[in-house]
Amino acid sequence: MRGLGGLLAGVALLAFGMAPLAQAQDLPRTASGKPDLQGIWQAQTRAAHGLPDHPASEGILAGLGIVAGGSLPYQPWALERQQANFANRLSEDPLNNCYLPGVPRIMALDHPFQIVQEDDHVAQTFEWSQVFRLIYLSDDPSLYEGIESWMGHSRGHWDGDTLVVEVRDFNDRSWLDASGNFHSAAMTLTERYRMLDADTIRYEVTITDPEVFTHPWEFAYDFKRQDQFPRLLEYQCQAEREEANGEFERDERTWYPAPIPQDNAAFDADAGTTLPLPEAVGEIRRLPDGTPDISGYFTSDAGGANYGLESSEGGFLTPRTRGVVVDPDHGGLPYQAWARAEKDDRMLPHRGYDDPTAHCFVAGLPRSHYVPSPFYIVQGRDDIAVLHERMSWRQIALTRTEHLPDGIRLWQGDSIGHWEGDTLVVDSSNFNGKTWLNEAGDVISHMQKMRETFTPVDADTIIYRATVNDPIAYTRPWTIEIPFHRADDELLEVACHEDNNDLEHLKDVRDAFRAGLGEPTSP
Amino acid sequence: MKTRYLAPLAAVALWCGSSQILAHHSFSAEYDAEKPIQITGKVTEMKWSNPHGWIYLDVTGTDGAVTNWALETSAANGLIRRGWRKEDLPAGTVLMVEGWQARNGSPTGNIRSVTFEDGRRLFAGTSNQNAQDEQ
């Protein structure tokens, strides 16, 4: 019996010891053997409403607490501040003002987010207001240590199968939840992401903030994989609000589902020239499997395309533009007559308010690639995430074949890509038609269909082309070409709407015009 | 921290001499070519914000009244990439600013140049001249 008992005990011990290993072997893994966190996830918690146990109240769903020990260890003054925050939450909650949510609050929102992963970066893109986080998997210090931001600076490493992320350099403006729990700029976070199975990530956070709390404290919850949509969608908090309250007005000619104007010239879809793809002039970077590696930090040599796609001399406070149109070969955009007139009208001062980017809305495409701000490409297995410093992202799906249903429209469109040789070819549709192509008001509508090519031509240069088909605004397809240059740099944060002092001035100019006062002094 | 230890004036030269602007809206729509300004005052605050930074300047008028002007710079991110940090433009610094006033007539301006007390005249990054070099 002793022998059998010992054998059973040994089997039990063996089974106990084997279980985690068996589980770990079942986890999805990247080519380099790390747990593959990629996919769309959503928090299984009410922590965004309140971190401790809390009843329901206006704007807040009741929820079970997730804080170890039950309550947040506030210093006495800070507890009073939290209570005041709660009392004033309808006006003071940063999220009620569509401000950036900060970390860890963003992780717990009632919106999904996506993870795109490569060996040295993890990108998180969020449905909520096109927010993203870029986690650098590096032991080197940040180039911008000490620069405060809403979302903090994230650096991570793998501890076995757990992704450990240190987040610091926060400002003191975000809240931890909708109940007024808050932090100071001294807050640092340690996040731990550990896959429990293929569809569950355990998320554990330690918060250290000696200015607000008496000691570090912890909480944890799970993310569950989401598959009810074929891709992550968009919720633009500020844009939706301004549309709803009339501060951002519908354009009946370009917004979905505007029809093609009856007096438009016919659209000649075959008129475009198929340009030969650029040829490499040097060795390009490649992933271990041979695929071109287009990841990294890029700036675009756009020649002022954000102030005009055609060549122009510029004017008062409007830069000269090089002209990036390569087809038609005369460099002019093949406008429909109404759209050319509309573009000229948008140049008038009272129309400056109508540019969506003046409201800090998402720039759309291809504009996001030539606004004068850098972007970061994170090249995942199924998706390529492009993180635009002006706090927006685009996803390029590499495995989907069907675009979204026609009725779902996005600021950044729906992009599906594939590799043809060393060129990434991306087809996009489902645009909402709310964007401008630049500050000079070049026109684009919801009927925009676009084929982009990203061709790496040496280790640090991508030649980017975008061919746009839009029968509402144009008579034929047209193509722009812009080089992208890779650099060793990091993204900073552009919290735009949060400190946008310009919009009220632009609105004054528009309102004066509408009141019959004309353009204030000269246009 | 690549350029963290620049002397402030050298940092200003870097900031102002750079050609990159980070506009997010039409400057010509907000500011008025017919309202050039030239004002001298003391910095009360530098707001390191995006999409644009702001220098706030107390300017004493001929009647003795003090007006706090808001003067728009390029985005904080551009300044940070060129080595600027918050401490480099402290309150109390005396500046002469040339630029253009906002069309709505408020004490708001777009900066064409900044001149320090020692006479250095420096561009500030959002001016037309710089904008024309934007790549």
Side-chain angles (χ1 to χ4, degrees):
Chain A
M1 290 298 291
R2 280 177 57 193
L4 183 58
L7 183 62
L8 286 173
V11 169
L13 189 64
L14 188 65
F16 183 77
M18 289 288 285
L21 182 61
Q23 189 180 53
Q25 286 172 337
D26 291 341
L27 296 179
R29 292 188 181 272
T30 65
S32 57
K34 302 299 182 193
D36 188 342
L37 305 174
Q38 295 178 96
I40 298 175
W41 304 90
Q42 187 161 340
Q44 306 297 298
T45 178
R46 289 270 169 88
H49 297 262
L51 285 158
D53 292 330
H54 62 275
S57 53
E58 172 65 23
I60 292 173
L61 301 179
L64 296 172
I66 57 165
V67 178
S71 61
L72 283 63
Y74 278 114
Q75 298 179 22
W77 73 269
L79 183 59
E80 290 180 19
R81 162 89 180 273
Q82 182 271 324
Q83 290 166 347
N85 284 349
F86 178 81
N88 299 321
R89 66 189 182 282
L90 296 184
S91 61
E92 297 303 310
D93 182 349
L95 237 65
N96 288 344
N97 293 292
C98 297
Y99 293 167
L100 289 170
V103 186
R105 188 174 182 186
I106 184 82
M107 308 306 298
L109 294 184
D110 303 327
H111 294 258
F113 68 96
Q114 183 161 358
I115 293 177
V116 176
Q117 181 178 347
E118 56 188 33
D119 282 349
D120 45 9
H121 298 90
V122 174
Q124 297 175 339
T125 56
F126 298 86
E127 179 183 69
W128 199 91
S129 284
Q130 212 101 21
V131 177
F132 65 80
R133 296 178 61 193
L134 177 58
I135 300 165
Y136 300 85
L137 303 184
S138 167
D139 294 329
D140 296 332
S142 166
L143 296 173
Y144 302 113
E145 211 167 60
I147 302 298
E148 292 181 0
S149 61
W150 290 80
M151 302 298 293
H153 182 84
S154 298
R155 283 185 119 72
H157 64 273
W158 288 98
D159 177 9
D161 281 348
T162 301
L163 176 65
V164 182
V165 183
E166 306 288 342
V167 199
R168 58 185 65 245
D169 294 337
F170 289 100
N171 66 24
D172 61 359
R173 297 172 70 182
S174 67
W175 286 7
L176 299 172
D177 60 21
S179 298
N181 288 303
F182 74 104
H183 63 88
S184 78
M187 176 174 76
T188 58
L189 304 178
T190 303
E191 300 173 288
R192 298 175 68 84
Y193 298 79
R194 180 166 51 94
M195 287 193 105
L196 302 182
D197 57 49
D199 297 321
T200 311
I201 297 174
R202 186 69 171 163
Y203 178 60
E204 300 168 322
V205 178
T206 303
I207 293 187
T208 303
D209 184 348
E211 294 189 8
V212 172
F213 302 108
T214 58
H215 56 81
W217 52 281
E218 299 175 354
F219 65 80
Y221 56 82
D222 292 344
F223 302 123
K224 282 285 184 189
R225 191 181 295 276
Q226 303 294 303
D227 56 8
Q228 70 266 48
F229 295 110
R231 54 158 289 165
L232 197 64
L233 301 174
E234 298 174 351
Y235 179 77
Q236 296 292 339
C237 179
Q238 183 67 11
E240 302 304 345
R241 177 163 301 176
E242 291 192 25
E243 283 180 41
N245 66 20
E247 292 175 359
F248 184 61
E249 297 172 347
R250 179 178 185 81
D251 186 331
E252 297 292 350
R253 295 162 302 184
T254 63
W255 288 31
Y256 179 80
I260 297 174
Q262 288 185 343
D263 53 354
N264 255 16
F267 186 77
D268 185 356
D270 298 325
T273 303
T274 302
L275 301 165
L277 286 170
E279 292 187 10
V281 295
E283 286 293 312
I284 67 168
R285 298 175 196 233
R286 294 187 186 277
L287 299 173
D289 69 358
T291 307
D293 178 355
I294 60 168
S295 65
Y297 173 103
F298 289 91
T299 57
S300 55
D301 175 12
N306 194 42
Y307 317 101
L309 296 177
E310 301 166 330
S311 168
S312 72
E313 287 305 308
F316 171 65
L317 292 181
T318 300
R320 172 176 54 85
T321 58
R322 182 179 73 218
V324 293
V325 178
V326 292
D327 179 47
D329 59 11
H330 54 72
L333 290 171
Y335 267 117
Q336 297 284 350
W338 78 266
R340 173 69 75 181
E342 166 66 4
K343 179 256 191 302
D344 291 343
D345 191 65
R346 289 177 177 183
M347 295 286 285
L348 296 172
H350 76 274
R351 297 296 306 277
Y353 178 82
D354 295 338
D355 179 358
T357 73
H359 296 245
C360 298
F361 302 159
V362 173
L365 291 170
R367 186 176 182 181
S368 288
H369 282 296
Y370 54 76
V371 293
S373 292
F375 56 89
Y376 218 104
I377 298 177
V378 179
Q379 196 170 346
R381 181 198 59 215
D382 298 337
D383 293 272
I384 293 173
V386 185
L387 311 177
H388 300 281
E389 185 166 271
R390 286 192 179 187
M391 200 44 89
S392 66
W393 48 259
R394 67 176 300 198
Q395 300 275 14
I396 300 168
L398 300 176
T399 55
R400 288 166 51 213
T401 55
E402 296 286 324
H403 283 295
L404 290 171
D406 188 68
I408 301 179
R409 295 291 169 146
L410 305 169
W411 287 83
Q412 298 287 63
D414 182 37
S415 296
I416 295 176
H418 65 279
W419 291 96
E420 290 185 11
D422 288 340
T423 293
L424 176 67
V425 180
V426 182
D427 290 301
S428 299
S429 66
N430 296 76
F431 291 95
N432 62 19
K434 297 176 183 177
T435 59
W436 287 14
L437 287 173
N438 45 45
E439 289 179 11
D442 277 316
V443 179
I444 195 74
S445 84
H446 73 93
M447 282 198 177
Q448 171 187 8
K449 306 266 190 213
M450 186 168 66
R451 167 159 285 202
E452 298 160 286
T453 56
F454 297 72
T455 308
V457 294
D458 63 32
D460 295 316
T461 310
I462 294 172
I463 301 298
Y464 170 78
R465 286 186 188 151
T467 299
V468 172
N469 279 261
D470 180 358
I472 286 184
Y474 298 96
T475 59
R476 50 161 283 184
W478 49 267
T479 300
I480 59 171
E481 178 178 301
I482 295 171
F484 297 157
H485 297 295
R486 189 189 320 246
D488 290 327
D489 206 333
E490 297 172 8
L491 290 187
L492 290 159
E493 177 179 284
V494 173
C496 180
H497 149 66
E498 289 76 355
D499 293 299
N500 185 8
N501 297 355
D502 298 295
L503 191 62
E504 60 181 294
H505 300 147
L506 294 168
K507 188 167 186 290
D508 285 346
V509 173
R510 186 202 68 172
D511 290 348
F513 180 85
R514 289 188 174 179
L517 301 176
E519 302 287 0
T521 62
S522 64
Chain B
M1 297 300 144
K2 292 174 293 190
T3 51
R4 182 67 196 90
Y5 302 106
L6 289 170
L9 275 181
V12 171
L14 266 177
W15 166 32
C16 300
S18 168
S19 62
Q20 188 180 26
I21 67 167
L22 293 170
H24 84 296
H25 68 281
S26 168
F27 283 114
S28 62
E30 182 172 358
Y31 297 99
D32 192 340
E34 305 299 316
K35 291 181 187 167
I37 53 171
Q38 186 187 84
I39 53 179
T40 301
K42 279 188 179 178
V43 173
T44 58
E45 185 188 3
M46 168 80 196
K47 198 168 174 185
W48 291 80
S49 51
N50 293 295
H52 300 285
W54 294 84
I55 296 173
Y56 294 88
L57 204 64
D58 264 352
V59 179
T60 306
T62 51
D63 59 355
V66 175
T67 303
N68 191 243
W69 278 75
L71 301 160
E72 189 161 21
T73 76
S74 55
N77 285 7
L79 306 182
I80 290 165
R81 284 212 167 85
R82 283 168 229 139
W84 264 68
R85 293 297 181 267
K86 275 186 172 181
E87 312 79 69
D88 293 333
L89 194 63
T93 306
V94 175
L95 300 176
M96 193 273 279
V97 174
E98 291 180 277
W100 295 273
Q101 189 172 3
R103 290 177 187 272
N104 71 353
S106 64
T108 305
N110 179 271
I111 295 176
R112 176 169 167 266
S113 74
V114 177
T115 308
F116 287 80
E117 280 189 293
D118 65 2
R120 289 176 193 243
R121 189 162 187 262
L122 302 160
F123 290 110
T126 56
S127 72
N128 195 21
Q129 287 86 342
N130 287 329
Q132 289 195 351
D133 293 332
E134 192 275 330
Q135 290 297 304

